[in-house]
């Protein structure tokens, strides 16, 4: 039986193992790629390490999808692990979509417009199989003025706000200035999933301008979710969101392979209809073009035009980007978040925001480091850990 490596310990993979993972991270394989994937699976691969990386990167359901079509190519115990991951993802997503439908129905009845982001739109519309695309949570975008209405709906359904799903008392979790520029603490539905309410489309609330909000809602597309209308982003806004979200998390050193699958499959499907000039102009206006261009390059896609697709040629760069996973306590944000202070309005709020960055509340320290260490030591460790992450980001940029 292939042992499961602990998630915090991920040994390096061989080039052949990375190639297999990255091939499996594509939604559709050309005949030549399918043949190559099967040939790689028949070699002496470090399967324990590969499956551990696949779990960290969210790639196991797609790996199962491709290897199940050629079951003779991989060891039986590997296929058993992959099938279990696929079934687990399917069941979790089915529960999440049942919850999503209920939320959207109540929001529609209450007159609260909601835009669904990321997996809640992509899993059914792009993948066509809820078991292939992992979903850590439900991401919902509302206009800032509508956020209280949606929060009231979630509270009425039994959800609670919490930094980690354990603390249920909102009084323990005071509202943060960061909510002005991003999204607040997630809402938890026990035994189902968490829900994040976004007031802004982009990471750190970039460009809270009226024109962007108006464009998002004017260009939204609607699909049917079991009799309930489900709104999603329009084509260019969706590509921009996926690319900028990936660029942001590449800086943080914590990305999933299926985020690249999302964007790559979307570009493959929507490429001919995508307004590249409008996309580039929008990215430039928002100051996101450099990050989006980098992400497109990691996919082997041309940013400036349709161009030739060279996904296989980009594999070494993509493997390098994925292999640099941040090993810091969960919940610890990077100092790169300091740049978001320009989005906070008012001197008093700016001072409060800086205070929250450098003197975090006790619950933030507990989420980041656990409860076992004295708080004074954690306060001393906090800025050093953040500085380490910033230094790592700068080194990545310099060598990348």
């Amino acid at each position: 039986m292939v042992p499961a490596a602990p998630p915090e310990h991920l040994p390096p993979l061989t080039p052949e193992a990375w190639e297999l993972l990255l091939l499996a991270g594509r939604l559709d394989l050309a005949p030549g790629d399918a043949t190559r994937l099967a040939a790689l699976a028949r070699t002496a691969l470090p399967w324990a390490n590969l499956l551990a990386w696949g779990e960290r990167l969210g790639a196991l359901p797609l790996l199962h999808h491709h290897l199940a079509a050629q079951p003779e190519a991989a060891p039986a115990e590997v296929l058993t692990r992959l099938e279990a991951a696929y079934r687990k993802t399917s069941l979790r997503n089915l529960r999440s979509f049942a919850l999503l439908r209920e939320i959207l129905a109540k929001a529609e009845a209450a007159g609260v417009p909601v835009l669904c982001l990321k997996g809640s739109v992509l899993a059914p519309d792009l993948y066509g199989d809820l078991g292939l695309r992992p979903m850590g949570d439900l991401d919902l975008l509302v206009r800032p003025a509508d956020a209280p209405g949606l929060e009231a709906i979630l509270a009425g359904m039994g959800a609670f706000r919490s930094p980690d799903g354990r603390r249920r008392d909102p009084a323990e979790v005071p509202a943060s200035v960061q909510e002005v520029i991003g999204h607040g603490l997630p809402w938890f539905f026990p035994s189902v999933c968490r829900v994040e309410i976004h007031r802004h489309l982009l990471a750190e609330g970039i460009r809270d301008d009226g024109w962007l909000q108006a464009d998002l809602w004017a260009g939204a597309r609607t699909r049917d979710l079991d009799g309930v209308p489900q709104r999603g982003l329009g084509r260019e806004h969706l590509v921009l969101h996926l690319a900028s979200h990936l660029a942001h998390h590449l800086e943080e050193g914590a990305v999933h392979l299926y985020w690249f699958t999302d964007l790559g499959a979307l570009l493959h499907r929507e490429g001919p209809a995508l307004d590249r000039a409008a996309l580039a102009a929008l990215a430039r206006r928002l100051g996101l073009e450099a990050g989006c261009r980098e992400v497109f390059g990691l996919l082997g896609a041309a940013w400036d035009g349709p161009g030739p697709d060279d996904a296989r040629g980009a594999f070494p760069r993509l493997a390098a980007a994925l292999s640099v996973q941040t090993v810091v306590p969960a919940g610890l944000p990077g100092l790169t978040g300091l740049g978001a202070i320009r989005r906070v309005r008012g001197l008093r709020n700016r001072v409060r925001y800086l205070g929250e960055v450098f003197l975090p509340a006790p619950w933030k320290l507990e989420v980041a480091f656990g409860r076992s260490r004295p708080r004074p030591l954690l306060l001393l460790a906090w800025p050093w850990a953040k500085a380490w992450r910033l230094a790592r980001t700068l080194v990545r940029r310099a060598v990348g």
Side-chain angles (χ1 to χ4, degrees), residues 23-54:
L23 279 172
R26 301 170 72 176
L27 190 54
D28 298 304
L29 292 178
D33 289 337
T35 301
R36 175 60 178 166
L37 184 143
L40 287 167
R42 292 188 181 96
T43 62
L45 293 173
W47 282 108
N49 297 348
L50 190 152
L51 292 177
W53 270 103

Side-chain angles (χ1 to χ4, degrees), residues 277-317:
L279 175 64
L282 182 59
R284 281 194 298 272
R285 187 174 182 181
L286 296 170
L288 300 171
E289 186 172 24
C292 291
R293 185 185 295 273
E294 177 188 4
V295 168
F296 270 56
L298 290 173
L299 285 169
W303 169 254
D304 296 317
D309 180 34
D310 185 25
R312 291 292 298 276
F315 275 4
R317 298 194 304 275

Side-chain angles (χ1 to χ4, degrees), residues 56-251:
R56 167 70 70 87
L57 298 174
L60 295 187
L62 269 176
L63 184 56
H64 169 265
H65 172 69
H66 293 304
L67 287 180
Q70 306 181 73
E72 75 287 349
E77 61 267 28
V78 170
L79 293 175
T80 299
R81 282 275 307 278
L82 294 177
E83 182 178 8
Y86 169 74
R87 290 181 180 277
K88 180 179 178 180
T89 303
S90 298
L91 291 173
R92 179 174 181 174
N93 285 356
L94 282 171
R95 289 195 296 267
S96 297
F97 270 91
L99 174 65
L100 175 64
R101 185 190 181 283
E102 185 178 357
I103 293 172
L104 294 180
K106 290 181 181 295
E108 186 76 12
V112 178
V114 176
L115 277 174
C116 297
L117 303 177
K118 296 188 287 191
S120 58
V121 172
L122 297 172
D125 189 43
L126 188 63
Y127 287 74
D129 182 338
L130 297 186
L132 295 183
R133 206 283 187 184
M135 284 171 40
D137 48 32
L138 295 174
D139 292 276
L140 306 178
L141 176 68
V142 294
R143 297 182 178 94
D146 289 326
L150 183 57
E151 290 175 346
I153 290 171
L154 298 185
M157 295 173 62
F160 60 92
R161 288 180 80 222
S162 171
D164 55 7
R166 296 193 298 269
R167 279 170 286 272
R168 292 172 177 258
D169 184 2
E172 296 182 22
V173 189
S176 167
V177 173
Q178 192 162 1
E179 293 189 31
V180 177
I181 58 171
H183 59 79
L185 294 172
W187 289 77
F188 283 84
F189 286 85
S191 303
V192 184
C193 70
R194 69 180 188 180
V195 178
E196 291 192 348
I197 300 178
H198 297 256
R199 296 160 178 81
H200 309 274
L201 176 66
L202 305 172
E204 298 174 354
I206 297 172
R207 299 291 187 185
D208 183 23
D209 293 321
W211 66 266
L212 179 57
Q213 289 280 352
D215 284 358
L216 294 179
W217 291 93
R221 296 195 285 189
T222 304
R223 65 182 297 274
D224 179 80
L225 179 62
D226 293 333
V228 175
Q230 180 188 17
R231 298 180 185 87
L233 296 172
R235 186 180 297 111
E236 285 71 34
H237 289 133
L238 180 55
V239 171
L240 177 76
H241 180 226
L242 296 179
S244 62
H245 173 263
L246 255 173
H248 173 73
H249 282 279
L250 281 169
E251 288 186 353

